[in-house]
Each structure stands twice: as C-alpha cells, then as structure tokens.
Amino acid sequence: MTHPSHEGSPTPRTWPLVVGAVGVVFGDIGTSPLYTLKEAFGPHYGIEANPANVLGVLSLVLWSLLLVVSLKYVALLMRADNRGEGGILALTALVQRSLPVAAPLSYTVGILGIFGTALFFGDGVITPAISVLSAVEGLEVAAPELGHLVLPITLAVLVALFAMQKHGTERVGRIFGPITCLWFAVLALLGLVEIVQNPAVLQAVNPAWAARFFLEHGVLAWLALGAVVLAVTGGEALYADMGHFGRFPIRLAWWCVVLPALLLNYFGQGAFILSHPGQVANPFYELVPGWALYPVIMLATAATVIASQALISGTFSVVRQAIQLGYLPRMAIVHTSDRTEGQIFIPLVNRGMLIAVVAVVLGFGSSSQLAIAYGVSVTGTMLISTMLLVILARVRWRLPGWQVWPLAMLFMVIEAAFFSANVIKFVEGAWFPLALGVVAFAMMRSWRRGRELLRKVTDRDNLRIEQFVGNLVAHPPLRVPGTAVFLTPSNQFMPPAMLHNLKHNKVLHQRNVLLSVEILGVPRAEPAERVVCIDLGHGFSRLTLRFGYLEDPDVPRALRQWQIPGAPFELMETTYFASRESLTARPGQGMALWRGKLFLFMARNATPATEFFHIPGNRLVELGTQVVI
C-alpha cells in the first residue's frame, strides 16, 4: 500500500505532513551537529585541526550523508514499504513473505531481523542520553562555572520526559514540527554566516579530500569514522516513520529542509575551525554569538527532547510490533489517544528505558564518553537493512545482479567500515549497546522458540477437532444453551480448556467456536483476509481472526463488527474459555535449560492473553493445564 495522495506534486495536505515529518522523523539526525565535529577533532582521536584534516573530515561527513542517507534510505530503501509501513521488522516481514514457504533463507532473514531490532533497542537507550547531554553541555561554553550543573539538569530533563509518556504526546506533538523547523533554520543561519566569511571550506565538496585524509592517516582515519558516523545516526528513522507521514513528505522534508540545513551547519563549523586553528573545543556552540548562547542552548535542549521523544515513541511502536509478531511476550499497552491509533504507552518498557538511560548518563558522564559507545547499534542495523534490501531486490523485485550488487557492495563497504570503526572501541564503552542488543536478542529468540515448543507439545497431546466432533455422534454429552468461544493458538486441535470443561462439568454449549487469532506480516489486514470460518457440524466451528501487526487485537469487538458467518455473538450469551498453562522447563526438550528458564520467567510476567485480546473478565472461564518444555 502506498500513499497516493502524498506522491507527486505537493498539495495543501502535503505541507503539514512535511512539518510533522521534520519534527518527528529528523529529530535524531538533526541534533547530530551538536557533537559530530566536536568528537572528530576531540582528544579521543587526536586528529589535528589543520586545513587538510578539516576538509577531509567534512568531505567524509558530506558524502556519508549523500550516499548512506540520501541514496540508500531516501531513494532506495523507502521503496521497500510493507503496505505503506517501514522499519526493520516491517522489512523483515516483507522479505519473509516474498520467499517460498519454509525456505531455508527465511530462517536467516528472521534472525537478521530480530538482531537488527535488538540493536535498535540499544540505540534507544543511548540516543536520549547523548542528545540531551550534548545540548545541556552548552552551559560549559556559556558559563564554565555552571559546568557542575550539566548532569543534574540532564537527569531532570530526562526524568520529566519519561514521566510525561503516560499522558501521551498528542497535544505537545503539534508544536514539535514548528520547533524543529526553527532549529533547522538556526542551524542553517549559523553555518551560512561562517561560510560567507571563509568560503574556502566549500572545497570539501570534492571527495578527493576524503581520499587524501585516508591516504595520509591510514588507521587513524579509519578510527575517525567512529565520529563521522554520528552524522548519519537517525537515518533509520526516515524509513521507520514512513507509515506515519508517507514517502513523499519525508523526501520533500529531507531535500528541502533537513539536508541543506545540516550541510550548511557542518560546513559552517568547519569554516570556524579553520579560522581558529587549535582553539575550538565545542565548534557548534562556539559558532553562536555570545548574546544568543542561552536561547540556542534552550532551543537545542528542546530539539533533543523532541528527538528523544520520537525515539521513545518509536521504541514503543517496535515493541508492539515485536509482541504482535510473536517475538516478545505480551505486555500492557495503553492507548493515549482516542483519535490516533499509533499513540501508545507501554509502562514496562518506559520504566526499563528510564532506568537504563539514567544509568548511562551517570556511568558515562559526558557526551564525549557516550559518543565512544554510540554508533555500534546504529551501524549494525544499517548493515542488516542493506542485507535484507539485497534479498528483497533479488527475490521480490527480481532485479538482475548487475543492477543490485554494485550498489549493495558500495553500501556494505561503507557500513562495514563504520561498524568496525565503532566495534573496535568495545572495551571503552561500545560493549554497552552490544550487551543490550545481545540480551534483547536472547529474549526474543527464546520467547519465539518457547512458544513454538509450547504449541508443538500442546498439539501433540490433543485430538484433532474433526475426530472429536465425529465421536460426539456416538457419545453425545449434555448440551446447554449459549455460545462457548474457546481461545486456542491452534484451532486444528481440541483445546485443553474444552477437554477439561467436558471432563469436569460434563456439558457442552449448544454452539462451540474454536477461535485462533493470527497476526499477519502486514501492518493492517485487508477486509477480505480478516475472517476464516469453517463449519464442522454438530454445533462446532473453526474461526480464525486475522489482524495486522499494527492493529489492536480486540476480539470481542471483531466478533461484533466483522462479517462472521452464523448467528451474531451476543455479549450476555457468550462465554469465553481459555487455558492457563503451568509451565516447567527440563533439559533435552528442544531448548537449552537457561533459555527454557528465561522463557518461563517471561511467560510468568507476560500480560495474560485474555487481557491482551480484551476478553471481558465477567464472561471468562480459565482452566489450568500442565506443560513441560
């Protein structure tokens, strides 16, 4: 699905989307000028700020933005939409849907997608910390004696940001776009003033300066890519937020607003460094006239809060997708807006992120130290998205190899260089986002595998429903009026809840519906694919309700509103039955014991399926069953 109203020439509806995209999509990449050149010429890399080095680093920044963000994300990857939605999980689902059923490559694609998602979670912890820290550190330039207040102010801003999540961002979100547009205007103006005074900096447009930088510095130039990559962090957001704003408004915002402002500011900082060799510690804030320092610090803090808010909301969205696609246990999801479907709040994730972000700020202490750890998760996700894009281009788009491989190798070489330059800083701090990613990956894989084993064990121990229905003719039980809906992951088999109900209560309802909920690998299910209903005879039917991974799986509402064959589901005449599994992990059951125990821990703390599917508590009967995995 595309956004036809958003494609082609701009219309009056396009410009509000462009402003909204500037506020939400580009917050992360838009705040990168606060720290990119500061770190490149900081003490960590030891690169002298002479003209050749300044032009070399600027050339690397320019061509990274053009090749990685403009060419890969804006021009190519945004074509790979999953019915209008983007992001690493959407891309994974799209690629898997394009492969033959049970293809070996599908498993590899799933692993890549899960690991890319896990790395995204690591990025989600570091980005708010480094963004807000780098903005508040402007105080050290404006008033060095206030430097000791940087950490307390940063922590206060971050705690307030996470505390407001439960109230939603619909109201304040309306001002995100205008504030961020003002931020980009200030970026452009600050840079332009300095470029006019020192136009020699424009030589950096020539990629020969980047090549010369590598030839002269070798390994040091490669290590410096760990700072250059800070300029392209946030590129993934262009793709991930495509479903909210559409392809065309995001592209328009990038080419007309964001890219020009970023380049002007980076080149302005470079011109300032050339004019003040060896004297610049924080080139962004030293660009700012003294009278404007405090207003710019406040604007920068607001911009970084907006960038952090966009990432937090994005994390909620990705977690929800992962839950729906079966990669994470069910969690309580609060809808903070009646009008906007995507406005959600996940309390458990919010608390976990707050604790992790506060720990990162206290543990690293400054944006310079955080910059060492930053980049690993971002570049890892970049590499994975390139691999998935190559598979998609060959399998779904059926492009010939000579069209795919040259660009694929270009992107992979660039991103592998970025990734290796960051992972080499493992001991200095890069271990942290990698550790977060590994933990998230282990949880997601263990949950997925545990659910597969649980379903296999449950199906193995139960009769096929057709066989049970056939036996009813010979041994009919007592029937009672009403409808029984049995929630089961596999409606091919007799649900344990039905077996236990028959065993203990000796009755069956007049109408029995075996209901399974299926989450499709698309954001929203089409009306024609939502319902599959098969009448098994003797008052039994097999019903499958299908939802997209961005939809709220409200089962009672679907039973009332969707076109389902048979009599309507009356609330007061319908009883829901569900099984509550009592799980035990033992070695040799198909999963390592530590993974089995991790799965048990997640299962015990997961939101019950009945609550997740909005089953009314006063119409629910739960029956226990023992399962060993």
Side-chain angles (χ1 to χ4, degrees):
M1 181 179 71
T2 59
H3 297 260
S5 61
H6 304 161
E7 301 289 346
S9 302
T11 66
R13 290 182 57 202
T14 303
W15 298 112
L17 289 170
V18 170
V19 173
V22 169
V24 174
V25 177
F26 298 103
D28 188 0
I29 201 169
T31 53
S32 296
L34 286 167
Y35 44 78
T36 299
L37 293 187
K38 173 190 170 187
E39 299 310 322
F41 294 105
H44 181 76
Y45 297 103
I47 299 172
E48 183 185 352
N50 60 42
N53 289 345
V54 171
L55 293 176
V57 170
L58 274 179
S59 189
L60 285 171
V61 168
L62 166 67
W63 287 100
S64 296
L65 285 168
L66 291 179
L67 292 175
V68 176
V69 182
S70 300
L71 181 57
K72 177 189 164 180
Y73 282 102
V74 177
L76 296 177
L77 195 57
M78 290 184 73
R79 295 172 181 264
D81 67 297
N82 189 346
R83 295 193 184 177
E85 294 293 332
I88 191 74
L89 274 177
L91 180 60
T92 301
L94 179 63
V95 173
Q96 287 184 315
R97 221 170 59 241
S98 306
L99 293 168
V101 178
L105 187 57
S106 183
Y107 177 79
T108 304
V109 167
I111 294 292
L112 286 173
I114 294 173
F115 194 61
T117 306
L119 290 175
F120 173 82
F121 294 145
D123 179 36
V125 168
I126 293 184
T127 295
I130 191 173
S131 298
V132 177
L133 254 179
S134 60
V136 179
E137 282 172 349
L139 282 175
E140 297 175 340
V141 176
E145 67 275 10
L146 298 179
H148 66 283
L149 295 177
V150 168
L151 277 184
I153 292 174
T154 298
L155 290 173
V157 169
L158 288 169
V159 169
L161 174 63
F162 281 96
M164 66 176 273
Q165 296 304 311
K166 63 184 177 182
H167 302 294
T169 58
E170 186 174 26
R171 292 180 182 175
V172 294
R174 296 171 188 168
I175 63 171
F176 283 2
I179 290 176
T180 313
C181 285
L182 176 62
W183 168 250
F184 281 115
V186 170
L187 287 182
L189 183 61
L190 290 174
L192 184 60
V193 169
E194 204 62 37
I195 292 170
V196 169
Q197 297 179 31
N198 195 344
V201 75
L202 295 175
Q203 296 176 70
V205 171
N206 186 347
W209 285 104
R212 175 180 171 181
F213 181 70
F214 267 92
L215 290 173
E216 289 185 358
H217 294 286
V219 174
L220 182 60
W222 165 63
L223 293 174
L225 290 176
V228 173
V229 75
L230 298 174
V232 297
T233 56
E236 189 73 24
L238 279 72
Y239 180 49
D241 286 316
M242 184 167 56
H244 293 113
F245 300 98
R247 184 185 298 120
F248 183 62
I250 291 176
R251 284 176 169 169
L252 199 60
W254 172 252
W255 291 115
C256 297
V257 179
V258 180
L259 182 61
L262 290 175
L263 292 181
L264 284 171
N265 193 265
Y266 281 125
F267 274 67
Q269 289 186 47
F272 187 84
I273 296 171
L274 289 176
S275 304
H276 303 77
Q279 302 175 29
V280 180
N282 194 327
F284 175 81
Y285 279 116
E286 291 177 42
L287 271 183
V288 183
W291 60 268
L293 258 177
Y294 285 108
V296 170
I297 290 171
M298 288 189 287
L299 179 60
T301 303
T304 56
V305 166
I306 291 169
S308 302
Q309 173 59 60
L311 195 76
I312 294 167
S313 298
T315 302
F316 290 158
S317 178
V318 171
V319 168
R320 181 191 187 187
Q321 292 178 36
I323 292 170
Q324 299 281 58
L325 292 170
Y327 293 120
L328 284 175
R330 294 174 295 271
M331 303 178 200
I333 297 175
V334 180
H335 292 264
T336 57
S337 170
D338 294 330
R339 293 178 294 178
T340 308
E341 183 184 356
Q343 291 278 344
I344 60 172
F345 167 64
I346 306 180
L348 184 62
V349 174
N350 193 64
R351 287 194 296 270
M353 286 185 71
L354 173 59
I355 293 169
V357 169
V358 169
V360 162
V361 171
L362 294 176
F364 286 89
S366 70
S367 63
S368 294
Q369 290 300 312
L370 263 173
I372 296 172
Y374 201 28
V376 177
S377 51
V378 176
T379 52
T381 305
M382 285 179 179
L383 261 174
I384 289 171
S385 64
T386 297
M387 296 176 194
L388 295 176
L389 181 61
V390 170
I391 298 171
L392 187 72
R394 295 287 286 148
V395 174
R396 189 179 184 91
W397 297 341
R398 302 193 180 281
L399 295 178
W402 64 269
Q403 289 184 6
V404 174
W405 289 112
L407 279 177
M409 293 310 298
L410 173 66
F411 295 143
M412 285 186 182
V413 166
I414 294 171
E415 291 163 358
F418 281 146
F419 181 75
S420 59
N422 280 280
V423 81
I424 200 74
K425 300 179 289 186
F426 184 85
V427 176
E428 299 166 274
W431 64 268
F432 182 75
L434 282 176
L436 285 178
V438 168
V439 169
F441 178 78
M443 292 176 66
M444 294 170 77
R445 282 295 302 152
S446 298
W447 180 258
R448 180 83 165 189
R449 178 61 178 157
R451 293 302 301 176
E452 289 173 355
L453 289 174
L454 179 60
R455 180 167 178 171
K456 186 184 296 184
V457 170
T458 304
D459 289 350
R460 183 193 64 200
D461 295 340
N462 289 318
L463 287 171
R464 289 196 66 86
I465 189 61
E466 290 87 353
Q467 184 179 354
F468 171 74
V469 172
N471 291 338
L472 284 180
V473 179
H475 307 285
L478 179 66
R479 296 284 189 128
V480 295
T483 299
V485 175
F486 293 90
L487 299 171
T488 173
S490 176
N491 55 18
Q492 305 291 320
F493 295 87
M494 184 179 182
M498 179 184 286
L499 177 64
H500 291 301
N501 180 52
L502 190 58
K503 184 186 296 183
H504 296 293
N505 297 324
K506 316 294 185 189
V507 296
L508 281 176
H509 282 69
Q510 205 66 41
R511 181 189 184 195
N512 297 275
V513 179
L514 280 66
L515 172 63
S516 290
V517 174
E518 184 179 344
I519 305 297
L520 302 178
V522 295
R524 294 168 188 84
E526 297 290 345
E529 61 187 349
R530 287 192 179 279
V531 176
V532 177
C533 186
I534 300 174
D535 186 1
L536 302 173
H538 304 287
F540 283 81
S541 61
R542 179 189 294 136
L543 175 63
T544 302
L545 301 180
R546 291 171 173 164
F547 298 84
Y549 60 75
L550 287 184
E551 294 181 296
D552 185 23
D554 189 331
V555 167
R557 184 174 63 190
L559 292 177
R560 290 194 308 271
Q561 298 180 357
W562 292 2
Q563 298 298 317
I564 299 173
F569 289 85
E570 300 291 343
L571 176 64
M572 299 310 295
E573 295 182 9
T574 302
T575 303
Y576 296 89
F577 289 83
S579 298
R580 182 176 286 271
E581 297 98 353
S582 177
L583 304 176
T584 305
R586 292 179 185 170
Q589 298 294 318
M591 191 162 59
L593 185 59
W594 69 268
R595 291 182 65 196
K597 290 186 176 180
L598 176 61
F599 172 73
L600 259 61
F601 173 78
M602 290 189 288
R604 288 168 185 154
N605 289 278
T607 299
T610 50
E611 181 180 333
F612 190 75
F613 294 134
H614 303 279
I615 306 301
N618 61 345
R619 305 300 305 170
L620 173 66
V621 176
E622 288 188 297
L623 298 165
T625 181
Q626 182 79 29
V627 182
V628 178
I629 59 168

